[in-house]
């Protein structure tokens, strides 16, 4: 029976009304029978600092942070994990011994999604091609470096942004021209779309996968639609594919554990529930 204080957490962003995180955490709260809540907080950039300073007064155990606050969240922390420090951005905040901690779980989510969707993908993956150089690309490159992928190449519409990211990522990260994408595909073992191209309401990613080897893994972190045209093209030519929904589900695990004290599991039932919301079967 649920008695006592309600444990509360949520997601803060601007805008935040389309966030699927409440569905995920709400599902786990129910599964564990925890007396808790997980809500959306739409907070403008100018109000973010006050929001974070008053988390505890608002009765929150912590929050997920989404666009555009991940960098500001990092700056507001008392303590950060090595990963958040490396990325200078945090998406999961919690309290520990009275201090506000932050981590960046996007790279955890990205890796766990590939591990679940295509087990052993990193055993023979030597070369990764990253399309895009935004916040998500930053986290994904850090994840690939943790798995010792030898060669990482970034291709971005705005080349300077790719160069900045390569510099920040250190190690063996190269930059190539967007117009030479086809050539880069020839040697890629893993292709990751981290741009917003292909997302519903956005232009499509106009890319022929013809030069790509048939064993190369193709993944897209866009998950609306669940199967982007990039993934469809890859699937039809026989490449292994992993969609982006699992990244969203897996990145949520550490936050739930910090706030509610139980480590949840990403199951097919949860995935189907979120899929139903994306496809409009559930509102
Ligand atoms: P971001 O920081 O705004 O970066 C956006 C990226 O997309 C940049 O590289 C940008 O290139 C590129 N881009 C945008 N419009 C373009 C166009 N018309 N042509 C070519 N490139 C274009 O965003 P983000 O946080 O990295 O997120 C990127 C996408 O990943 C979003 O769709 C987001 O919803 C999704 N995402 C999914 C997950 C998940 O859990 N599955 C997690 C995080 C993000 P420029 O630098 O040239 O502008």
């Amino acid at each position: 029976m649920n008695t006592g204080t309600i444990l509360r957490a949520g997601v803060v962003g601007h805008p935040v009304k389309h966030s699927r995180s409440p569905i995920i955490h709400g599902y786990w709260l129910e599964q564990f029978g925890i007396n808790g809540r997980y809500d959306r907080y739409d907070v403008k950039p100018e109000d973010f600092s006050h929001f974070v300073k008053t988390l505890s007064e608002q009765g929150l155990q912590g929050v997920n942070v989404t666009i555009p606050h991940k960098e500001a969240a990092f700056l507001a922390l008392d303590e950060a994990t090595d990963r958040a420090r490396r990325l200078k951005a945090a998406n999961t905040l919690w309290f520990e011994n009275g201090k506000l901690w932050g981590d960046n779980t996007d790279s955890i989510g990205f890796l766990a999604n590939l591990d679940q969707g295509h087990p052993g993908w990193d055993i023979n993956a030597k070369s990764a091609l990253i399309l895009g150089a935004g916040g998500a690309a930053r986290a994904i490159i850090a994840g690939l470096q943790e798995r010792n992928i030898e060669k990482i190449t970034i291709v971005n519409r705005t080349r300077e942004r790719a160069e900045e990211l390569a510099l920040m990522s250190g190690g063996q990260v190269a930059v190539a021209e967007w117009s030479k994408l086809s050539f880069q595909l020839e040697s890629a073992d893993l292709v990751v779309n981290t741009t917003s191209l292909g997302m519903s309401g956005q232009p499509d990613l106009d890319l022929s996968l013809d030069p790509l080897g048939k064993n190369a893994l193709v993944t897209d972190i866009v998950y609306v639609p669940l199967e982007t045209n990039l993934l469809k093209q890859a699937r039809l030519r026989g490449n292994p594919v992993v969609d982006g929904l699992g990244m969203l589900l897996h990145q949520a695990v550490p936050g739930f554990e910090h706030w509610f004290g139980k480590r949840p599991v990403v199951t097919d039932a949860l995935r189907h529930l979120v899929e139903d919301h994306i496809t409009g079967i559930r509102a």
Side-chain angles (χ1 to χ4, degrees), residues 48-194:
F48 183 74
S49 164
H50 177 75
F51 178 84
V52 174
K53 278 191 194 125
T54 57
L55 276 182
S56 158
E57 285 164 42
Q58 296 177 65
L60 288 160
Q61 306 295 312
V63 277
N64 280 132
V65 181
T66 188
I67 288 172
H69 302 312
K70 291 182 189 180
E71 280 86 5
F74 171 73
L75 295 174
L77 300 174
D78 298 319
E79 303 281 351
T81 60
D82 287 346
R83 194 172 22 240
R85 238 180 270 134
R86 209 162 59 232
L87 296 169
K88 297 185 174 58
N91 74 340
T92 304
L93 275 47
W94 71 95
F95 290 100
E96 221 172 284
N97 302 324
K99 294 198 163 169
L100 183 64
W101 273 83
D103 193 2
N104 191 314
T105 66
D106 279 338
S107 45
I108 300 175
F110 175 77
L111 294 174
N113 186 34
L114 293 195
D115 289 342
Q116 190 170 41
H118 194 60
W121 65 274
D122 53 346
I123 296 171
N124 293 317
K126 292 193 166 40
S127 165
L129 178 61
I130 311 298
L131 313 182
R138 208 196 296 181
I140 285 167
I141 289 171
L144 293 174
Q145 288 175 322
E146 275 176 37
R147 295 291 176 95
N148 299 315
I149 303 301
E150 279 171 27
K151 188 177 169 228
I152 298 172
T153 306
I154 311 171
V155 179
N156 193 48
R157 173 180 63 175
T158 312
R159 188 183 166 108
E160 302 80 64
R161 226 176 153 199
E163 277 164 0
E164 271 168 37
L165 178 55
L167 200 65
M168 178 180 175
S169 304
Q172 302 298 312
V173 179
V175 173
E177 279 295 324
W178 184 266
S179 57
K180 308 244 169 67
L181 241 177
S182 283
F183 176 70
Q184 294 299 326
L185 284 172
E186 284 175 22
S187 57
D189 300 314
L190 169 68
V191 178
V192 189
N193 177 41
T194 79

Side-chain angles (χ1 to χ4, degrees), residues 132-136 156-158 161 194-197 199 221 223 244 248:
N156 193 48
R157 173 180 63 175
T158 312
R161 226 176 153 199
T194 79
T195 73
S196 43
L197 294 174
M199 187 165 125
I221 70 163
Y223 56 86
L248 178 77

